């Protein structure tokens, strides 16, 4: 097994503090050691690296070019190590805060109604649900786990398929005009179609799937999220193409109706994505198990 080429952690901590303060005295005070001990540790680090990290003139010190480079590297590394340590300490036995990156409508319609059962199982975990549907960046978004729609192509992560998606055309019952009957899918060209801005080809996919020619489309409003499209359809602003599982309540109550019986499989699926760097955290493991159990 290859041996790591690393100096002592004490020497690195001392060097980082001296570089930050540009002073052995202040660094020694922070680390609760003597000034001579701090000086010896930094000197031992220079001997290990065989590189001078400071220039010393009289009672003043200054980082060398190599010291500047190494101080930035060591500082970032210690910050990362500290953050990971604090995170593990706060999450022992499944405790701590869990940040979940969630598609807005999926979170509202699917996750939140089920979330009480997770909280009952893990009362010490505080769940923070973050609206998230763009490019997935766990570090930038500060999230631990996410649910996304796509094709399962996320690197450096555990990717669990959750469910596929069936979509159907729906509208407000008041929108249906007896003078413009919807006997065939092609007849939908007589109505405005609500566009989903993050899925620009969904209507084209639907027409192709039902075997109809793509007509000249009379576009209605262009909206970003499914919950906006649901409300727009209920308000009579046009025909909407929506996942059936998101509108079960509206279909049952009659606030939305489906003029065609056909349902079309969407060109993607929902996935639970766990970054490899977080996969071993107890609270993340607990949430992943719980989500997958919801689908059994």
């Amino acid at each position: 097994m290859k041996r790591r080429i690393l100096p002592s952690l004490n020497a690195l901590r001392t060097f980082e503090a001296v570089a930050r303060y540009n002073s052995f005295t202040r660094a020694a005070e922070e680390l609760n050691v003597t000034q001579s001990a701090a000086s010896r540790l930094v000197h031992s680090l220079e001997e290990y690296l065989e590189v001078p990290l400071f220039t010393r003139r009289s009672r003043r010190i200054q980082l060398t070019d190599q010291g500047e480079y190494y101080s930035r590297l060591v500082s970032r590394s210690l910050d990362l190590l500290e953050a990971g340590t604090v995170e593990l300490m706060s999450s022992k036995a499944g405790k701590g805060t869990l940040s979940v990156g969630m598609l807005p409508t999926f979170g509202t319609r699917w996750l939140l109604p089920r979330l009480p059962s997770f909280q009952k199982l893990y009362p010490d975990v505080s769940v923070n649900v973050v609206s998230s549907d763009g490019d997935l960046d766990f570090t930038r978004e500060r999230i631990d786990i996410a649910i996304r729609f796509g094709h399962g192509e996320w690197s450096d992560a555990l990717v669990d398929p959750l469910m596929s998606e069936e979509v159907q055309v729906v509208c407000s019952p008041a929108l249906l005009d007896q003078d413009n009957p919807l006997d065939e899918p092609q007849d939908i060209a007589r109505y405005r179609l609500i566009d989903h801005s993050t899925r620009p080809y969904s209507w084209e996919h639907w027409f192709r799937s039902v075997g109809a020619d793509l007509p000249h489309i009379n576009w209605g409003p262009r909206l970003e999220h499914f919950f906006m499209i649901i409300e727009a359809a209920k308000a009579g602003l046009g025909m909407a193409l929506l996942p059936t599982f998101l509108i079960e309540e509206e279909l049952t109550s009659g606030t939305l109706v489906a003029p065609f019986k056909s349902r079309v499989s969407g060109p993607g699926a929902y996935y639970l994505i766990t970054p490899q760097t977080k996969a071993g955290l107890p609270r993340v493991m607990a949430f992943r198990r719980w989500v997958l159990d919801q689908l059994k």
Side-chain angles (χ1 to χ4, degrees):
M1 186 174 180
K2 184 179 178 180
R3 181 174 176 270
R4 290 186 182 276
I5 304 174
L6 290 172
S8 77
L9 181 58
N10 273 342
L12 291 173
R13 289 178 64 231
T14 304
F15 165 66
E16 189 274 338
V18 173
R20 181 160 30 92
Y21 288 119
N22 201 33
S23 166
F24 281 101
T25 302
R26 294 185 64 185
E29 291 173 354
E30 177 183 302
L31 299 171
N32 197 27
V33 298
T34 64
Q35 180 178 341
S36 60
S39 179
R40 283 197 302 272
L41 281 166
V42 171
H43 183 66
S44 71
L45 179 61
E46 291 176 312
E47 287 187 329
Y48 181 87
L49 298 171
E50 298 182 349
V51 169
L53 300 173
F54 293 98
T55 57
R56 297 163 175 86
R57 293 193 182 124
S58 185
R59 302 183 64 176
R60 299 182 60 186
I61 61 171
Q62 185 175 351
L63 284 165
T64 63
D65 290 342
Q66 297 99 321
E68 286 277 7
Y69 161 77
Y70 202 51
S71 69
R72 290 193 296 270
L73 178 65
V74 171
S75 180
R76 288 196 302 269
S77 300
L78 290 177
D79 285 345
L80 183 61
L81 183 60
E82 181 182 32
T85 301
V86 171
E87 184 168 23
L88 276 177
M89 291 173 66
S90 68
S91 65
K92 59 186 176 183
K95 298 180 180 180
T97 299
L98 176 76
S99 293
V100 183
M102 186 61 58
L103 298 166
T105 312
F106 189 98
T108 302
R109 296 289 175 113
W110 189 89
L111 176 69
L112 293 182
R114 293 169 171 80
L115 198 56
S117 72
F118 176 79
Q119 295 284 213
K120 186 176 181 180
L121 290 171
Y122 303 96
D124 294 325
V125 176
S126 177
V127 179
N128 177 31
V129 179
V130 179
S131 178
S132 173
D133 62 356
D135 292 336
L136 191 54
D137 187 328
F138 289 97
T139 302
R140 177 176 53 80
E141 297 182 73
R142 296 183 179 181
I143 54 179
D144 301 312
I145 196 166
I147 290 180
R148 282 287 196 278
F149 184 85
H151 302 282
E153 298 171 353
W154 289 274
S155 60
D156 300 321
L158 299 176
V159 180
D160 296 296
L162 296 182
M163 64 183 77
S164 57
E165 183 182 80
E166 283 189 336
V167 297
Q168 62 186 126
V169 175
V170 294
C171 66
S172 164
L175 184 67
L176 294 177
D177 188 340
Q178 297 301 319
D179 294 331
N180 290 316
L182 290 172
D183 298 322
E184 302 291 339
Q186 204 75 18
D187 296 336
I188 205 172
R190 301 166 181 166
Y191 293 85
R192 288 184 180 274
L193 305 188
I194 300 172
D195 193 17
H196 191 177
S197 61
T198 59
R199 297 197 191 178
Y201 304 109
S202 53
W203 276 109
E204 180 181 343
H205 175 78
W206 183 82
F207 277 106
R208 188 168 59 249
S209 298
V210 298
D213 294 330
L214 186 66
H216 173 73
I217 294 178
N218 184 18
W219 289 116
R222 181 179 174 86
L223 303 171
E224 185 176 3
H225 299 298
F226 276 134
F227 69 84
M228 296 178 178
I229 296 174
I230 292 170
E231 294 305 313
K234 288 163 62 176
L237 291 176
M239 296 284 174
L241 193 59
L242 290 164
T244 303
F245 80 96
L246 293 179
I247 51 172
E248 291 174 350
E249 181 180 328
E250 284 78 10
L251 291 173
T252 300
S253 68
T255 54
L256 287 177
V257 295
F260 306 111
K261 292 182 179 180
S262 58
R263 297 180 181 182
V264 170
S265 295
Y270 292 91
Y271 292 88
L272 180 67
I273 306 140
T274 311
Q276 293 286 0
T277 55
K278 304 264 188 170
L281 293 176
R283 65 182 185 275
V284 175
M285 293 170 65
F287 186 79
R288 179 170 175 253
R289 285 194 303 268
W290 174 80
V291 169
L292 296 177
D293 283 345
Q294 301 305 300
L295 304 171
K296 294 179 180 178

